[in-house]
Amino acid sequence: MKTVILHILCEGSSEERFVKTVLAPYLSQYGIYPKSVLLTTSRSKGAHGGMTCYAKAHNDLALLIKQYRSGDNEVHLFTTMFDYYALPDDFPGFAEASGIRGIRERIACLEDAFLNDIGNRFFIPYIQLHEFESLLFSDIEKLAVEYPLAAGEIEKLKRSTDKYGDPEMINNSPETAPSKRIIKALGNKYNYNKVKSGAAVTAAIGMDAILSRCLHFREWVERIIQLAESLRA
């Protein structure tokens, strides 16, 4: 049976650590072995993390796809973990998607355009609704594991966001995006450590809970598993 290696181009260090500590152990149960790759910001300076323009993401993916070819013993798949929050306006399908009212339909438009631009059958585009921290709202009370002195504020944060039902619906405003809500809740008691806490809290929540509450994230994981199974045969 062929080994399936999944190359995940991550927008930032939070996503990269999540892939290594939470997503990889889950997918390994299905014989899929993720490798996280941090998005290049500046090749000349050796800087990574953060998407300033689409061209850099396109170039990183093109290099990965060129470098890793599927063969008799291995299948190489490629995907992304990019936030919809602050997505650059030169992203494929951005203008068309901006005119779509429903957020899920807007993301589908962007991902379809992204897939068409990359043009590779081993590629699964993924844009996180609305940003990585949405996943923490699958059970935001687990944030108190990292920040116990803010337990009361975290409980208030939970109550204020329960109205959304779906964590992926917590919105895109610079004041009310998921990470901004967390920072505000912690106030002057803590400085929010995005990278460390993102991995620790999602690990405490567990993949089963995240998958049960985050529809778009679950669809992405299911597509990865299905494509791997179809190509491994």
Side-chain angles (χ1 to χ4, degrees), residues 42-78:
S42 172
R43 293 194 183 280
S44 61
K45 297 178 180 179
H48 296 83
M51 191 189 307
T52 55
C53 67
Y54 172 69
K56 293 176 182 179
H58 181 279
N59 289 343
D60 277 2
L61 278 170
L63 287 171
L64 278 174
I65 291 169
K66 183 178 180 180
Q67 183 177 359
Y68 296 101
R69 305 273 185 176
S70 296
D72 293 338
N73 299 316
E74 292 182 343
V75 174
H76 291 273
L77 304 181
F78 307 89

Side-chain angles (χ1 to χ4, degrees), residues 11 22 25 38 44 50 65 82 107 137 154 181 196 202-203 214:
E11 181 173 344
V22 183
L38 198 55
S44 61
I65 291 169
F82 296 162
I107 295 298
F137 282 83
I154 292 166
R181 292 176 186 264
K196 177 178 178 293
T202 50
C214 299

Side-chain angles (χ1 to χ4, degrees), residues 30-47:
Y30 297 90
I32 301 168
Y33 303 97
K35 290 186 176 182
S36 57
V37 181
L38 198 55
L39 188 66
T40 302
T41 305
S42 172
R43 293 194 183 280
S44 61
K45 297 178 180 179

Side-chain angles (χ1 to χ4, degrees), residues 143-151 154 186 190-194 197:
L143 191 64
V145 173
E146 290 286 292
Y147 305 103
L149 296 180
I154 292 166
L186 298 181
Y190 294 100
N191 291 319
Y192 177 53
N193 186 324
K194 286 171 63 72
S197 299

